[in-house]
Amino acid sequence: MLPHEKLHNTVLPMQRLLSFRAMSPRVLVARFCLVALLCLAGQVGAQHSLFTYRGQQKNDFLGKSGCGLGDLNGDGFADFAIGCQEDFLGKRPGRVRIYSGYTGTVLHEIVGPSFGMLFGHHCARVPDLDRDTVDEIAIAAPNSTTSNGARSGAIRIYSGKSFALIRELPGGRAGQRFGQSLVILGDIDGDGVVDFAAGTSRLVYPFTNIHGVRVVSGRTGKQLYHWEDKQRASEFGLVMAAPGDLDGDAVPDLIVSARRGFHRGQQTGYVRVFSLKSGRELARLSGDSAYDLYGESLLLPGDLNRDGVADFFVARREKINNRRLYGLLDLISGKTLRRIDSWRPGQNALSLLGTAFTAPDADGDGLLDVASLERRAGPKGGYGLLRVFSASSKRLLRSIRIGGANRSRSSLACIAGDVNGDGHDDILYGSIFAGSNSQNLGLAKLWSVRPMRLSADEHHLFAGGSKYQWLQLDAGVAHAGDFFFFVGTASGTKPGLQLGSLHVPIQVDAVTKLYFAARDSLFAPSSGLLDAAGRGTSSFFLPPELSHKFPPLQLWHCFVVADRNTLQLRLASNAVPLRVN
């Protein structure tokens, strides 16, 4: 007996119903209208949250690293990885969890071989190396001991299909700590395999670091280039970007920042651009004054000025009322390697205080956009805000409140790929600083750059954990005052259910019928009226007396909207997954 059939037969026996498929759309709606409750709608904006993850135990430090991985398991949805920093107190090694973009559940966890490697410091998607049609994942472990010596560091590459270790790219010598940062390049040496650039950091007296960048072959691990900054503690190589070919030699190039480096006697920070064909420096760009932290972030929106070469943004701080705040983006022409524009996306002095990063194309102009994580003033220390701007027009496209102000201190922000299957890439965000300072759990979230009809704050209900999934509905103002009701399934969302001309993304099974029979036993409310903006709130919950009886179950639910007067079905939302165990 399948889990959802067991739930249907033993936990909440349903009343005798007519066959769901035999119901006409009008009868289906009428059944719910009889129990409709006025929804206590919150004043919420368009919703963007896809998945939310919190650390599972003390010092989990979830959100240290992460990346999109493409579709690993062939279900049509992009999967992704989130790294956990190792626990220095409990001596637990770092690890990287691979999540399904379809269900949001863990597909696999890759655990560092030993404590002290800093395993999971960075991770990145690697094009298919073992020819099994599935891309791989590279994980940095900068404190690894390899055949080249203690703390030489390493990049470990794992199969995206079996998650077995394919190869290890070791650091060049003892104490190099190869893997402080990680960028996947194109094929530099012409052997048909992508190559890698990673930051290095060696300790020198008295307790300072010389930072560098090492470029290695992805096939053999052979060193192709190694640059070390002459200045100590410049943080050279901790931020890098691979913009493609800038100098027209048919070989990808590399941008490297040294945000704490000195230029002309002042700690302005600077950015160096290298040719990966010759290894020579193509350009050096610097901040205007001391403590600009020039190169705090590097963003790659594409060819903004339409000259045939990709451009890039360099983030730096600007001075406002004698305070230096992270708030200015310099647009650099990829062709001339000169500044062509400066732009402060935010609207106040605290804009871009946390992180700026490349965002998916939110306005459909064919160019990647710009996102910022900001801290805003307010009660209890304020709150964090995720804002997405058009890189071409500079206008604000999205503004999403993300919780407490500490969440603007991001340890992870990147493009995750199309996780929810809506044809648009999504954003992966993480902060090891989120949550209780004494617990260090960390937090990671997946955000859609396009508004969704239905979003949830939790996607996993389990014994000892949360018992509620808070749901926010946004059908749009055109559906103000209309009826809504929830439908669900444990059998997936494809190919879905056709109700007249309306497609509902659920597969009919015992859980679908249970949602009808149980009515408000699982939802509060299960049906109701949308507010004047076409919005509403609800929650899926596990009654305490039943929570221990639920078998492990993967659910999906969505809501359907019907005209209040004619009962004609008008809209079905996206489906939201929920794991119960």
Side-chain angles (χ1 to χ4, degrees):
M1 181 178 292
L2 297 176
H4 60 272
E5 293 173 334
K6 180 179 178 182
L7 173 64
H8 170 65
N9 292 330
T10 64
V11 180
L12 289 173
M14 75 172 204
Q15 302 168 6
R16 184 179 181 85
L17 296 174
L18 295 173
S19 169
F20 186 83
R21 292 186 182 276
M23 287 184 185
S24 70
R26 186 179 181 87
V27 172
L28 183 151
V29 177
R31 295 180 67 92
F32 276 86
C33 292
L34 292 175
V35 295
L37 299 174
L38 182 63
C39 178
L40 301 177
Q43 299 302 311
V44 295
Q47 300 309 309
H48 300 260
S49 178
L50 293 174
F51 295 111
T52 300
Y53 302 98
R54 295 173 178 83
Q56 298 175 355
Q57 53 187 313
K58 186 175 181 179
N59 297 328
D60 219 6
F61 294 110
L62 182 74
K64 171 59 179 175
S65 61
C67 63
L69 294 173
D71 184 9
L72 299 182
N73 55 2
D75 61 5
F77 293 81
D79 305 313
F80 54 95
I82 302 174
C84 295
Q85 179 175 293
E86 64 183 29
D87 179 4
F88 294 100
L89 297 178
K91 295 191 175 181
R92 188 171 64 244
R95 54 218 173 278
V96 175
R97 295 175 185 142
I98 314 299
Y99 293 87
S100 164
Y102 183 37
T103 65
T105 55
V106 176
L107 296 175
H108 190 78
E109 183 175 72
I110 304 174
V111 181
S114 62
F115 170 74
M117 296 173 61
L118 296 184
F119 185 85
H121 197 66
H122 291 280
C123 61
R125 177 183 179 179
V126 181
D128 182 21
L129 296 181
D130 54 7
R131 300 183 180 179
D132 61 0
T133 71
V134 179
D135 287 348
E136 329 301 356
I137 178 172
I139 301 176
N143 254 22
S144 293
T145 295
T146 71
S147 58
N148 289 337
R151 297 187 178 180
S152 56
I155 305 298
R156 298 169 65 90
I157 304 174
Y158 293 84
S159 166
K161 191 170 188 176
S162 66
F163 302 110
L165 179 65
I166 296 176
R167 68 188 59 161
E168 181 179 81
L169 308 177
R173 61 186 180 186
Q176 193 176 71
R177 292 189 285 181
F178 177 64
Q180 295 289 330
S181 55
L182 177 61
V183 170
I184 310 302
L185 307 170
D187 181 12
I188 305 302
D189 54 3
D191 63 0
V193 177
V194 296
D195 301 312
F196 297 77
T200 63
S201 176
R202 60 184 178 90
L203 187 65
V204 295
Y205 182 83
F207 307 108
T208 59
N209 292 291
I210 294 292
H211 294 100
V213 173
R214 188 167 179 260
V215 178
V216 300
S217 165
R219 181 183 292 276
T220 66
K222 176 184 177 181
Q223 179 174 298
L224 303 177
Y225 299 106
H226 185 205
W227 304 280
E228 276 194 336
D229 201 31
K230 296 180 179 179
Q231 300 180 21
R232 297 185 179 190
S234 67
E235 300 189 1
F236 175 76
L238 295 189
V239 177
M240 296 188 291
D245 180 20
L246 300 181
D247 57 358
D249 60 6
V251 176
D253 299 311
L254 182 65
I255 309 170
V256 184
S257 102
R259 61 184 178 180
R260 297 191 184 277
F262 281 80
H263 177 70
R264 294 180 179 176
Q266 291 187 310
Q267 193 177 22
T268 62
Y270 52 85
V271 167
R272 299 170 68 183
V273 183
F274 292 94
S275 164
L276 292 183
K277 185 173 184 177
S278 65
R280 69 184 180 90
E281 183 180 291
L282 298 176
R284 183 181 296 219
L285 310 165
S286 64
D288 296 329
S289 56
Y291 309 113
D292 269 3
L293 291 183
Y294 195 78
E296 185 92 50
S297 298
L298 299 170
L299 290 73
L300 303 175
D303 184 11
L304 287 180
N305 59 358
R306 309 293 184 181
D307 63 0
V309 181
D311 306 310
F312 59 95
F313 284 112
V314 178
R316 63 186 176 97
R317 300 191 182 191
E318 66 172 336
K319 191 173 183 179
I320 301 176
N321 297 327
N322 293 319
R323 297 174 59 196
R324 295 201 173 275
L325 301 170
Y326 182 20
L328 201 66
L329 294 177
D330 283 352
L331 176 61
I332 309 300
S333 166
K335 190 170 185 176
T336 66
L337 297 178
R338 295 179 179 274
R339 184 187 308 173
I340 55 177
D341 192 14
S342 290
W343 169 41
R344 180 160 67 90
Q347 297 175 342
N348 60 42
L350 292 181
S351 297
L352 293 175
L353 182 64
T355 303
F357 59 98
T358 307
D361 180 13
D363 55 0
D365 63 357
L367 296 167
L368 296 178
D369 292 316
V370 171
S372 69
L373 290 165
E374 307 172 13
R375 185 187 301 172
R376 292 299 177 89
K380 299 181 179 180
Y383 60 93
L385 199 65
L386 170 64
R387 289 154 64 85
V388 180
F389 298 85
S390 168
S392 54
S393 69
K394 303 181 183 179
R395 67 186 179 92
L396 177 64
L397 302 174
R398 306 281 184 269
S399 186
I400 308 168
R401 187 162 174 165
I402 60 174
N406 60 347
R407 296 187 184 179
S408 66
R409 300 172 61 198
S410 173
S411 50
L412 161 66
C414 67
I415 297 176
D418 184 11
V419 173
N420 61 345
D422 66 353
H424 300 272
D425 286 346
D426 304 306
I427 293 173
L428 175 58
Y429 150 83
S431 176
I432 61 174
F433 308 105
S436 170
N437 292 333
S438 62
Q439 296 296 313
N440 298 319
L441 300 179
L443 174 137
K445 293 183 75 74
L446 261 292
W447 298 96
S448 169
V449 296
R450 302 183 70 83
M452 299 182 299
R453 301 295 188 186
L454 180 64
S455 66
D457 67 333
E458 296 284 350
H459 297 87
H460 188 191
L461 304 185
F462 55 95
S466 176
K467 298 296 189 297
Y468 294 86
Q469 183 189 44
W470 185 257
L471 298 161
Q472 296 185 333
L473 299 72
D474 189 350
V477 69
H479 299 286
D482 283 343
F483 286 113
F484 74 87
F485 59 89
F486 280 96
V487 291
T489 181
S491 301
T493 62
K494 295 181 178 180
L497 172 67
Q498 202 68 31
L499 293 177
S501 61
L502 186 68
H503 180 263
V504 182
I506 60 131
Q507 289 288 92
V508 175
D509 59 14
V511 167
T512 313
K513 300 176 182 180
L514 174 64
Y515 275 36
F516 277 74
R519 293 179 179 155
D520 291 336
S521 296
L522 296 175
F523 284 93
S526 64
S527 57
L529 299 174
L530 297 171
D531 69 8
R535 299 169 183 157
T537 59
S538 183
S539 61
F540 180 97
F541 63 96
L542 297 180
E545 66 274 12
L546 296 178
S547 60
H548 66 284
K549 298 181 181 180
F550 268 68
L553 199 63
Q554 180 65 51
L555 301 174
W556 289 263
H557 35 251
C558 68
F559 70 90
V560 177
V561 175
D563 185 273
R564 183 176 185 176
N565 298 314
T566 67
L567 303 185
Q568 180 181 2
L569 299 181
R570 301 182 63 185
L571 177 144
S573 76
N574 56 290
V576 167
L578 175 65
R579 180 72 177 173
V580 179
N581 63 354

